[in-house]
Amino acid sequence: MAGTLNTRFAIAYVALLAAALFVTLTSTGGAGDRAAAAAKAKCPKANASPGEASIEQLGDAVLCLIGNERRKADLKSVDRNGALTRVASKHAAVMIDEDCLEHRCKGEKSLNERIVNSGYPKPGEHYSFGEITGCSLTPEAMVDAWTGSRVHRKRILGRGYRDIGIGAEKGSPDVGGCDDGRRRGVYAVIFGSNLG
């Protein structure tokens, strides 16, 4: 009789452990889903396709996601700069118009000339800059691709950068991985530091 009770107790105990494990696994998955949703809420439209967001919202999402990457690396945030934003926005539009995914497309001056002409540095002031460009289905996918590249990640996490300009456009240049027929966004991001 004692053996039967011990066996029944062992079976009930194993069943209880299995139920507890199931509850733990399913609730952890729910917590993961909630955490992912909370992260997305911090950067609105981060997972929006170009058809689901305005150009401004796409740019804001990229700025927010870049800010998150800099915070994770304990770096100061970069401030949106109107002059750099105008340069980046114009370049994003040119990339669409010229089917170009480069830092300098047909008919454009060099990036340095475009920045100087924007009024970002005052005459005689020293400054530094860096640019990243690309196309992607969502802002989050774009920033993920950049952070997965050593060169682009170095720009995003540049310690000396204080300012940022972000240009976004809906559409895809007919080049590289952008020409697969899916609705993508094109992004140009310029980092800068006006050193006085």
Side-chain angles (χ1 to χ4, degrees):
M1 183 81 168
T4 305
L5 285 177
N6 285 342
T7 304
R8 286 183 185 162
F9 177 76
I11 291 171
Y13 183 72
V14 169
L16 184 61
L17 282 177
L21 179 61
F22 175 76
V23 168
T24 301
L25 290 174
T26 55
S27 65
T28 303
D33 293 342
R34 285 190 299 277
K40 290 175 193 173
K42 290 181 184 176
C43 290
K45 302 294 184 179
N47 285 312
S49 72
E52 299 168 331
S54 69
I55 289 171
E56 291 78 18
Q57 289 171 324
L58 296 172
D60 289 346
V62 168
L63 176 63
C64 179
L65 292 162
I66 286 174
N68 286 348
E69 291 299 321
R70 289 182 66 86
R71 274 190 295 284
K72 284 192 272 185
D74 291 325
L75 295 171
K76 290 182 181 179
S77 63
V78 285
D79 295 320
R80 185 175 265 162
N81 178 275
L84 294 179
T85 295
R86 286 188 295 277
V87 174
S89 295
K90 186 168 183 183
H91 183 58
V94 169
M95 286 193 290
I96 296 286
D97 292 343
E98 296 296 329
D99 284 330
C100 169
L101 197 60
E102 303 290 333
H103 297 289
R104 184 179 186 179
C105 297
K106 183 180 175 183
E108 285 187 307
K109 293 182 178 182
S110 71
L111 179 56
N112 182 55
E113 290 174 291
R114 286 180 270 150
I115 291 172
V116 168
N117 291 340
S118 76
Y120 176 68
K122 302 292 183 267
E125 287 184 329
H126 300 284
Y127 72 102
S128 65
F129 66 90
E131 182 186 47
I132 54 179
T133 61
C135 68
S136 189
L137 296 170
T138 67
E140 184 175 59
M142 184 75 267
V143 174
D144 285 349
W146 284 332
T147 57
S149 157
R150 186 182 59 80
V151 173
H152 294 101
R153 184 171 180 78
K154 185 176 177 182
R155 291 273 188 259
I156 289 171
L157 301 181
R159 288 192 177 279
Y161 293 133
R162 300 176 193 160
D163 303 308
I164 192 170
I166 299 174
E169 284 291 328
K170 298 179 180 189
S172 302
D174 195 18
V175 292
C178 297
D179 59 354
D180 64 0
R182 293 190 285 177
R183 183 100 169 133
R184 294 178 181 268
V186 171
Y187 302 91
V189 178
I190 302 172
F191 297 93
S193 287
N194 194 337
L195 308 174

